[in-house]
Amino acid sequence: MGTRHDVDELRAAIRGTGLRATPSRIAVLELVRASDAPVSHGDVADQLASQAWDRATIYRNLTDLAEVKLLKRTDVGDHVWRFEARSADGDHHESQHPHFVCTECGVVECLPEIELSTRRARAPRAIKQRQVEVHVRGLCDACI
Ligand SMILES: [Zn+2]
Ligand SMILES: [Zn+2]
């Protein structure tokens, strides 16, 4: 767990959505926020394995936090839900960044934000509304 101040901030963020700020929800949110790449339920459960919560509780916490939009759920194409923290200002200023997926080892990394140009091409409404996900596939540094 982080400093007192961090925990207070996490608790306030969770309560602000109307959810109860249980110790496991605070720990799950802290872990996902501290991660610089999207994490799966398995990753989170492994990292919290020393705690008393079972995997089903951690899974429910992840889906609850995603439902209230503190977390964002991403499927990079391998049918595994991964979770990452959303920015505090919510959907309106949501950053849209693509994810890099290694085709060899499956590692997932966040890439810098990109702008999809829709000025000339006919494009589905979802692109204009920024409701799409971009996945870039290739070999990671360790596999190349
Ligand atoms: Zn790799
Ligand atoms: Zn990301």
Side-chain angles (χ1 to χ4, degrees):
M1 295 296 267
T3 64
R4 193 76 240 158
H5 177 78
D6 292 338
V7 174
D8 286 346
E9 206 274 314
L10 292 162
R11 188 179 291 120
I14 294 169
R15 284 192 179 144
T17 68
L19 285 180
R20 280 201 312 132
T22 60
S24 62
R25 280 193 185 127
I26 293 170
V28 166
L29 182 60
E30 180 177 43
L31 197 148
V32 178
R33 281 194 174 175
S35 172
D36 53 8
V39 287
S40 66
H41 166 233
D43 298 334
V44 176
D46 288 349
Q47 289 187 63
L48 296 177
S50 62
Q51 306 289 329
W53 313 303
D54 60 28
R55 295 173 82 88
T57 300
I58 290 169
Y59 186 74
R60 264 199 314 277
N61 288 332
L62 284 166
T63 54
D64 288 347
L65 292 169
E67 223 156 82
V68 298
K69 301 197 186 312
L70 285 174
L71 302 182
K72 179 179 160 68
R73 249 184 348 180
T74 309
D75 175 359
V76 296
D78 57 2
H79 308 296
V80 175
W81 283 117
R82 287 184 177 76
F83 298 84
E84 57 188 340
R86 278 179 187 264
S87 57
D89 18 343
D91 285 1
H92 195 63
H93 301 287
E94 180 75 1
S95 93
Q96 292 286 329
H97 61 266
H99 288 110
F100 175 87
V101 187
C102 178
T103 53
E104 188 66 32
C105 70
V107 77
V108 178
E109 292 174 24
C110 297
L111 294 177
E113 190 171 349
I114 54 159
E115 194 62 57
L116 285 174
S117 171
T118 55
R119 265 172 303 155
R120 280 182 298 174
R122 268 168 50 85
R125 208 177 310 138
I127 291 183
K128 298 186 179 111
Q129 293 172 349
R130 317 188 83 200
Q131 302 283 321
V132 292
E133 290 170 2
V134 179
H135 306 137
V136 180
R137 284 164 203 289
L139 294 175
C140 75
D141 289 355
C143 293
I144 208 158

